[in-house]
């Protein structure tokens, strides 16, 4: 654009900076844009997207880079560009408006507003010419400009009606009560509805298919064999499908077909963070054989390896003890969607043949290795995507060995080695761009996923990685007792949102459970207190997405249903509820759950949308257990108190279903020793009895009834086995 830049050139967001050379006179979201709209009596054109969104790029190339289109936009509208990952609160308000107007939504999101921010028309992608029943973007611009000039009263009237509708969405779902015994039945109904909705190809519904994150967690944590089996079938189908990057690890955003074969190629941190938890839960579940567990472990290992290789960053300080992860990889490279990941039959044959000749495999010719790998990954001359193929597990190594009369270990070795060669060959291609911003909430989700992996799969390195994320966020995005939402290249901006406090708080709870680092639990307490003080709805219950002292939007959104990420109002309720359990505060537990319960009919009709709420209510309705392990050893001793305490911790691990409050405390000066659950239970090193002189003790209570303390792992195992 001959060196021209607009106001977005100085923004933090990579997505906004992508549009800095557009001929469009873009404004970032803020008071300046709306003041200009009021001053010039123009409507606002609000465009929302994110850096790795393929169709956002398409619309930008077709329309926002077109000088003629830009001229119309600049003449008739004040144009505002928003990164939905930087301002999910703004996105939530106007996505709800477009869904109300059109019945659907997505990105790019295109919304037309009055100068007061009230929406009156909206949609998603608009093509440059009339196509497939969609009006061209130019036609939309012209029609709305004329409507604003000629029928402004009518436009403003309809905008006011829509605003009143949006204000109604802020009301809490459900009856406002806390948990009850009936919530176990609600969970059973949700699981039954999900199992009934299961598609034969895995997952729920038809194309397009997104990983059903919240539903998977519900199915894998509620004790229901049919639900657990349905979750594992979905996980197996995704792991075998093209939505899984079989060479580089990690998962793409979603599948455009019902069989999980052809993905939409963004790779998002938030998706992979939640899939870590799902595969770890499946790994630790009651069903499945060692081969299945090994498959889940390989999937998890691949996700973590991809994250560390592609998305990891340090703060630029010492970097040794801190790490955080960028938001996403783009879908496009070399101007084409999926180009980095697709293979032609000839490309695959060349890469595999070269490796096979050097490997000199015994009894298998290079040509045979090419055939094995092509059949394993479903690569044919016809292709499945843009003349190439997206790799998937079309034939297992077991099937190939049987088909070709080979030993399975030979086939596995050939496929594994050739896959490494394919990965190296792919690495020479132009890789997709990285959305290199760190979002607090998404890193909180990743902390939870890594901590789940660490605890459930006995993976100390994953646990340590979760702790390193927490330290990065504490140093770079925690200021004067408040979180910031986004960090990039040393600069942190945007006041923290509910999702930041809730997801990070839950990540810290999970990390504490995996590591027993007391500072993590203390910080989770602070974040829960912030949720209750600054985000809670005192009238209807639940939690608003923005703080009481944050920028005032058109309406104050309240995220109550699950989507690509957990419902943030429910996540906040879960955090506050857990912290209240740690503090033995029954009234606060009840208050946390006010407004969380959805109606039975809503659960039956849309179980995926309410899975997080149902799971939380089910947990709250179950008998509450506390496991407290104490020693007289000072904090910092080996494994938080020496060999005796380590023995108790190891015994607890074997029975840890994630439902118990658990505390590990070493000595009276331990940071958590003042919690009510520790009253009278923490011995001093000089005591003559109990957990003294290196001894340790475990206390187990359930439903308000406590057992006598035990002092070794065998006794604790026997006690927990009866629960």
């Amino acid at each position: 654009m001959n060196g021209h830049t607009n106001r977005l050139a100085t923004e933090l967001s990579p997505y906004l900076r992508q549009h800095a050379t557009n001929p469009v006179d873009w404004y970032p979201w803020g008071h300046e844009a709306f003041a200009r709209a009021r001053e010039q009596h123009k409507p606002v054109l609000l465009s929302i997207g994110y850096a790795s969104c393929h169709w956002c790029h398409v619309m930008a190339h077709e329309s926002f880079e077109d000088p003629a289109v830009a001229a119309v936009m600049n003449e008739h509208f004040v144009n505002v560009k928003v990164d939905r990952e930087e301002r999910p609160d703004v996105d939530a308000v106007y996505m709800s408006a477009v869904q109300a107007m059109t019945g659907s939504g997505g990105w790019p999101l295109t919304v037309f507003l009055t100068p007061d921010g009230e929406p009156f028309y909206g949609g998603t992608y608009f093509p440059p010419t009339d196509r497939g029943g969609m009006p061209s973007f130019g036609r939309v611009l012209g029609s709305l400009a004329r409507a604003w000039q000629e029928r402004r009263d009518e436009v403003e009237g309809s905008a006011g009606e829509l605003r009143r509708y949006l204000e109604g969405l802020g009301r809490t779902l459900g009856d406002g009560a806390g948990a009850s015994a009936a919530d176990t039945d609600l969970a059973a109904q949700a699981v039954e509805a999900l199992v009934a909705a299961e598609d034969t190809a895995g997952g729920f519904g038809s194309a397009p298919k997104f990983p059903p994150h919240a539903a998977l967690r519900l199915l894998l944590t509620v004790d229901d064999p049919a639900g657990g089996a349905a979750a594992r079938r979905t996980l197996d189908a995704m792991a075998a499908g093209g939505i899984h990057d079989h060479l580089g690890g990690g998962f793409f955003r979603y599948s455009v077909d019902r069989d999980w074969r052809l993905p939409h190629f963004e790779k998002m941190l938030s998706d992979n963070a939640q899939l870590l938890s799902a595969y770890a839960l499946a790994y630790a579940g009651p069903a499945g054989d060692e081969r299945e567990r090994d498959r889940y472990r390989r999937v998890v290992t691949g996700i973590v390896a991809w994250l560390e290789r592609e998305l990891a960053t340090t703060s630029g300080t010492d970097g040794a003890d801190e790490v955080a992860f960028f938001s996403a990889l783009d879908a496009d490279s070399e101007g084409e969607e999926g180009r980095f990941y697709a293979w032609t039959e000839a490309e695959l044959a060349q890469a595999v043949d070269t490796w096979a000749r050097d490997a000199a495999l015994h009894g298998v010719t290079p040509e045979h290795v090419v055939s094995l790998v092509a059949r394993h990954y479903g690569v044919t001359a016809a292709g499945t995507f843009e003349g190439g193929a997206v790799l998937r597990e079309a034939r297992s190594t077991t099937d190939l060995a049987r088909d070709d009369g080979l030993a399975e270990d030979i086939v596995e070795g050939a496929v594994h080695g050739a896959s490494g060669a394919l990965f190296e060959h792919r690495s020479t291609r132009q890789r997709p761009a990285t959305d290199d911003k760190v979002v607090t909430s998404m890193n909180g989700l990743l902390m939870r996923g890594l901590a789940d992996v660490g605890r459930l799969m006995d993976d100390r390195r994953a646990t340590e990685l979760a702790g390193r994320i927490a330290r990065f966020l504490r140093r770079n995005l925690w200021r004067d007792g408040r979180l910031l939402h986004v960090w990039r290249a040393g600069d942190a901006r945007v006041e923290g949102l509910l999702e930041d406090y809730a997801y990070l708080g839950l990540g810290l709870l999970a990390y504490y459970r995996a590591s027993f680092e007391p500072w993590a639990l203390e910080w989770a307490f602070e974040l829960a207190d912030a949720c209750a003080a600054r985000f809670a709805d005192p009238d209807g219950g639940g939690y608003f997405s923005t703080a009481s002292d944050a920028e005032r939007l058109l309406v104050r959104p309240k995220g109550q249903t699950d989507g690509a990420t957990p419902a943030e109002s429910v996540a906040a309720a879960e955090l506050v509820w857990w912290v209240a359990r740690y503090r033995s505060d029954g009234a606060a537990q009840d208050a946390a759950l006010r407004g969380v319960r959805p109606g039975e009919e809503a659960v039956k009709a849309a179980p995926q949308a309410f899975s997080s709420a149902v799971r939380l209510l089910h947990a709250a309705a179950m008998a509450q257990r506390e496991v407290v392990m104490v020693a007289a050893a000072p904090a910092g001793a080996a494994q938080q108190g020496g060999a005796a305490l380590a023995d108790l911790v190891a015994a607890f691990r074997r029975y840890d279903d994630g439902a118990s409050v658990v505390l590990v405390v070493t000595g009276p000066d331990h940071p958590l020793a003042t919690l009510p659950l520790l009253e009278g239970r923490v011995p001093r090193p000089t005591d003559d009895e109990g957990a003294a002189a290196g001894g340790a003790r475990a206390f187990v209570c359930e439903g308000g009834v406590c057992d006598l303390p035990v002092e070794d792992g065998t006794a604790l195992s026997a006690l927990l086995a009866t629960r």
Side-chain angles (χ1 to χ4, degrees):
M1 297 298 174
N2 296 321
H4 164 81
T5 57
N6 54 47
R7 296 174 188 82
L8 304 184
T10 59
E11 287 297 303
L12 187 69
S13 160
Y15 174 66
L16 298 189
R17 294 165 81 97
Q18 287 173 1
H19 293 79
T21 58
N22 291 168
V24 178
D25 187 20
W26 290 115
Y27 286 80
W29 178 270
H31 296 297
E32 182 184 0
F34 288 95
R36 178 60 57 89
R38 287 189 291 271
E39 176 187 322
Q40 297 184 347
H41 305 289
K42 288 182 178 180
V44 172
L45 191 166
L46 174 63
S47 176
I48 304 177
Y50 55 98
S52 59
C53 166
H54 170 69
W55 286 101
C56 299
H57 298 326
V58 171
M59 189 168 177
H61 296 324
E62 292 176 340
S63 296
F64 304 147
E65 294 175 3
D66 184 333
V69 174
V72 176
M73 294 173 65
N74 295 338
E75 179 180 357
H76 296 287
F77 304 92
V78 172
N79 305 291
V80 176
K81 177 62 77 171
V82 166
D83 180 344
R84 68 149 318 266
E85 293 178 337
E86 187 176 60
R87 293 301 304 263
D89 51 338
V90 173
D91 178 65
V93 170
Y94 294 105
M95 179 64 75
S96 295
V98 171
Q99 289 172 333
M101 286 186 275
T102 68
S104 63
W107 300 278
L109 189 69
T110 309
V111 198
F112 295 85
L113 321 175
T114 70
D116 293 326
E118 296 180 337
F120 59 87
Y121 185 85
T124 53
Y125 164 76
F126 290 102
T129 58
D130 294 346
R131 183 196 307 160
M134 292 186 290
S136 70
F137 190 49
R139 182 188 296 272
V140 170
L141 293 174
S143 297
L144 293 176
R146 287 191 296 274
W148 182 257
Q149 293 166 359
E150 299 170 4
R151 296 181 284 111
R152 188 172 305 180
D153 290 346
E154 181 182 332
V155 170
E156 291 177 334
S158 64
E161 292 179 9
L162 184 54
R163 176 176 184 156
R164 288 186 286 276
Y165 168 80
L166 295 175
E167 290 171 340
L169 293 180
R171 300 189 187 98
T172 303
L173 297 172
D175 57 15
S180 71
D183 290 320
T184 57
D185 294 332
L186 191 66
Q189 293 169 3
V191 171
E192 182 180 3
L194 286 167
V195 172
E198 184 188 6
D199 184 51
T200 56
F204 308 99
S206 189
K209 276 186 177 173
F210 292 79
H213 299 301
L216 288 172
R217 195 172 190 102
L218 172 67
L219 293 172
L220 291 165
T221 52
V222 172
D223 185 14
D224 185 289
R232 288 190 295 276
R233 284 191 293 270
T234 296
L235 292 171
D236 291 343
M238 290 195 301
I243 192 175
H244 182 202
D245 183 353
H246 291 266
L247 300 182
F251 287 79
F252 301 109
R253 181 70 190 89
Y254 65 89
S255 175
V256 301
D257 66 295
R258 65 183 289 263
D259 295 311
W260 304 102
R261 293 184 178 185
L262 184 59
H264 200 48
F265 290 94
E266 300 103 330
K267 292 177 80 172
M268 313 292 290
L269 176 62
S270 56
D271 289 318
N272 286 279
Q274 293 173 91
L275 287 171
L276 283 175
S277 290
Y279 281 100
L281 287 165
Y283 173 92
D289 55 22
E290 193 58 36
R291 191 181 186 91
E292 183 178 60
R293 285 162 58 87
D294 182 62
R295 182 168 66 251
Y296 294 151
R297 181 179 287 280
R298 283 187 279 111
V299 170
V300 165
T301 300
I303 294 173
V304 175
W306 168 70
L307 288 168
E308 291 192 285
R309 186 179 63 249
E310 302 278 352
L311 296 186
T313 184
T314 63
S315 63
T317 53
D318 54 37
D321 204 35
E322 300 175 358
V323 69
F325 291 83
F326 295 141
S327 297
L329 290 186
D330 206 332
D332 299 2
S333 59
E334 301 181 58
E336 298 179 23
E337 181 190 6
R339 174 69 190 92
F340 184 75
Y341 304 101
W343 292 84
T344 65
E345 190 178 45
E347 285 177 313
L348 181 137
Q350 180 184 5
V352 173
D353 182 79
T354 300
W355 170 82
R357 291 184 187 281
D358 291 337
L361 299 171
H362 294 293
V364 186
T365 67
E367 292 79 12
H368 197 168
V369 175
V370 170
S371 173
L372 288 170
V373 174
R375 284 180 286 152
H376 176 68
Y377 284 131
V379 177
T380 64
T384 57
F385 174 75
E386 302 289 338
V390 178
L391 304 189
R392 60 186 177 86
E393 188 180 313
R395 298 284 289 170
S396 70
T397 54
T398 301
D399 291 340
L400 289 171
R402 184 185 62 246
D403 294 345
D404 291 19
L406 296 170
E408 187 169 349
D409 62 336
I410 292 177
V411 176
E412 287 183 346
V415 169
H416 177 75
S419 297
L422 290 173
F423 174 77
E424 292 301 324
H425 180 89
R426 193 180 77 173
S427 298
T428 65
R429 298 173 178 172
Q430 181 181 318
R431 66 186 297 277
T434 304
D435 183 347
D436 62 346
K437 65 179 182 293
V438 170
V439 177
T440 299
S441 55
M442 300 303 102
N443 277 266
L445 286 179
L446 181 57
M447 276 189 64
R448 187 177 195 177
L450 288 166
D452 285 346
V453 168
R455 178 175 63 88
L456 297 169
M457 302 178 71
D458 193 24
D459 187 332
R460 181 175 296 179
R461 189 166 179 275
T463 300
E464 292 172 350
L465 197 57
R468 292 176 64 198
I469 295 172
R471 286 185 280 274
F472 181 105
L473 298 177
R474 181 87 180 190
R475 180 192 291 269
N476 294 287
L477 289 126
W478 180 249
R479 307 279 172 79
D480 301 322
R482 293 193 176 205
L483 284 172
L484 293 172
H485 178 63
V486 62
W487 175 98
R488 181 176 180 269
D491 188 3
R493 300 182 190 177
V494 183
E495 182 72 21
L497 302 161
L498 179 66
E499 65 177 53
D500 299 305
Y501 288 84
Y503 297 170
L504 176 55
L506 292 174
L508 288 164
L509 289 179
Y511 175 64
Y512 174 76
R513 192 176 205 91
S515 69
F516 297 122
E517 291 279 0
W519 60 264
L521 193 57
E522 291 181 295
W523 195 14
F525 288 179
E526 288 186 78
L527 298 179
D529 290 342
C531 288
R534 299 176 55 227
F535 295 89
D537 180 351
D539 299 320
Y543 300 82
F544 291 108
S545 302
T546 57
S548 55
D549 54 355
E551 173 193 353
R552 304 299 294 179
L553 301 177
L554 178 69
V555 296
R556 198 175 175 193
K558 183 186 286 185
Q560 303 179 93
T561 55
D562 297 316
T565 54
E568 59 263 37
S569 181
V570 177
E574 183 178 2
L575 172 62
V576 175
W577 178 77
W578 269 106
V579 167
R581 285 186 64 188
Y582 272 101
R583 289 170 166 167
S584 303
D585 189 339
Q589 290 179 54
D590 292 340
L593 301 178
R594 283 187 62 231
V596 169
R597 182 187 293 108
E600 289 186 14
E601 293 306 313
V603 169
K604 291 177 182 177
Q608 287 192 67
F610 300 106
S611 291
S612 290
V614 170
R615 180 177 53 80
L616 173 58
L617 291 166
H618 175 73
M622 303 297 285
Q624 305 300 303
R625 179 194 291 175
E626 300 92 31
V627 180
V628 176
M629 292 169 278
V630 299
Q639 191 52 46
Q640 307 293 326
L645 186 56
D647 182 46
L648 290 173
V649 169
F652 170 75
R653 291 285 189 220
R654 291 192 289 273
Y655 295 92
D656 181 11
D657 61 358
S660 303
V661 161
V662 58
L663 282 167
V664 174
V665 172
T666 52
D669 296 328
H670 190 278
L672 303 176
T674 58
L675 287 173
L677 285 171
L678 277 301
E679 185 175 355
R681 292 175 168 178
V682 183
R684 296 182 178 277
T686 56
D687 289 350
D688 293 329
E689 60 178 296
R697 214 177 235 185
F699 301 83
V700 178
C701 302
E702 185 170 309
V705 178
C706 297
D707 291 290
L708 291 174
V710 296
E711 297 185 355
D712 62 75
T714 301
L716 180 58
S717 293
L719 185 59
L720 294 174
T722 63
R723 295 289 181 176

